[in-house]
Amino acid sequence: MAGAAVLSLTLLTACSDSGESGEKGGSGGGKPALSAADLEKVVLKDGDVKGHKVSEPNGTVDRKTIESGSDACAPVAYAMLGSVVDEPAATVQRETQKKIDPVEAAKSGDASGLDATRTLLRLSAYDGEAARAVMKSLTASAEDCADGFEVTADGTSQQVAKVTTDPAPEGADEAIALTFLSEAEGTKVPMKVVVFRQGATVGYVTALNLASAATGKDFDFPAEVVEAQVKKLA
């Protein structure tokens, strides 16, 4: 796939090689950040999400390689490409993939299983009030960059045409859901992201779907992944 789909496929390859923000309160600051060992205890494991396989990715897109066209758009650019905002004290990662029933896939014409939404999940622990600040910066960035922005990762540029805010899964102290539309040769390629805060921990969940990248058709964000992770953090 060419053009605007390149970065989404770069992120998908990294995984395989490897609403609106609404605050309900919660303890966002004043407590020490969870350690990497603590995060490993609460991050999703295989069997935690019905209908999804959970595994550890071998690689992801490095934040150091991500550059946005403006500082205002940097937070949403990081989130879109499966990275993090600011500097967390610790981070753990997982990949999830929706399990495909081969019989149902054949009936739908997707015998190859391309229509299997995958997510890259990062749980990041922040010190003090930094987790709240992350959510505020993402909300502001989504508003400022609603009409699109340019982003480069690993030297590959992509023009995001539009950023929309969607209803976010419930249960976390704060959450924001975003859809990014990039355009390649007349086809709009969607990517979906949910970022949530539970206490001083922020979860970044970037969802990709190869069938949608090929056809431009919308796909459903797997809210059950976020709901399962929030439940484990509660």
Side-chain angles (χ1 to χ4, degrees):
M1 181 144 319
V6 170
L7 288 191
S8 61
L9 295 186
T10 297
L11 177 56
L12 187 60
T13 301
C15 290
S16 55
D17 287 341
S18 39
E20 191 161 341
S21 176
E23 184 169 348
K24 301 192 321 184
S27 55
K31 294 185 178 181
L34 295 179
S35 67
D38 292 330
L39 290 175
E40 285 289 350
K41 295 175 182 177
V42 295
V43 73
L44 289 179
K45 296 176 176 58
D46 199 27
D48 285 342
V49 191
K50 184 178 180 180
H52 292 261
K53 178 183 178 182
V54 180
S55 59
E56 295 190 28
N58 291 329
T60 56
V61 177
D62 192 332
R63 177 183 165 180
K64 294 179 181 179
T65 73
I66 300 174
E67 297 180 3
S68 65
S70 69
D71 290 343
C73 298
V76 288
Y78 293 144
M80 183 186 82
L81 290 175
S83 188
V84 298
V85 179
D86 294 336
E87 296 292 338
T91 293
V92 297
Q93 304 171 86
R94 291 295 185 271
E95 176 188 353
T96 77
Q97 181 168 357
K98 186 176 180 180
K99 296 177 181 177
I100 294 295
D101 183 312
V103 175
E104 292 300 320
K107 289 181 180 178
S108 66
D110 183 40
S112 62
L114 290 179
D115 194 17
T117 298
R118 299 165 70 170
T119 71
L120 177 65
L121 163 68
R122 288 194 188 220
L123 277 190
S124 297
Y126 290 84
D127 289 312
E129 293 290 333
R132 291 180 184 271
V134 165
M135 300 304 297
K136 289 180 180 178
S137 68
L138 277 167
T139 300
S141 185
E143 293 175 354
D144 292 343
C145 304
D147 292 331
F149 60 93
E150 185 177 359
V151 60
T152 301
D154 287 328
T156 300
S157 296
Q158 175 173 332
Q159 184 66 43
V160 177
K162 187 177 182 181
V163 182
T164 57
T165 304
D166 306 319
E170 298 181 354
D173 293 333
E174 294 182 79
I176 185 170
L178 304 169
T179 294
F180 298 84
L181 280 182
S182 300
E183 192 161 334
E185 300 173 356
T187 299
K188 287 185 169 60
V189 181
M191 295 178 67
K192 295 178 182 287
V193 173
V194 168
V195 181
F196 64 89
R197 179 183 69 80
Q198 189 72 11
T201 301
V202 176
Y204 301 83
V205 187
T206 300
L208 304 166
N209 185 291
L210 264 183
S212 290
T215 64
K217 292 182 179 179
D218 196 19
F219 66 97
D220 293 329
F221 181 90
E224 59 272 21
V225 172
V226 172
E227 291 163 358
Q229 183 60 83
V230 169
K231 185 176 180 180
K232 290 198 73 171
L233 281 169

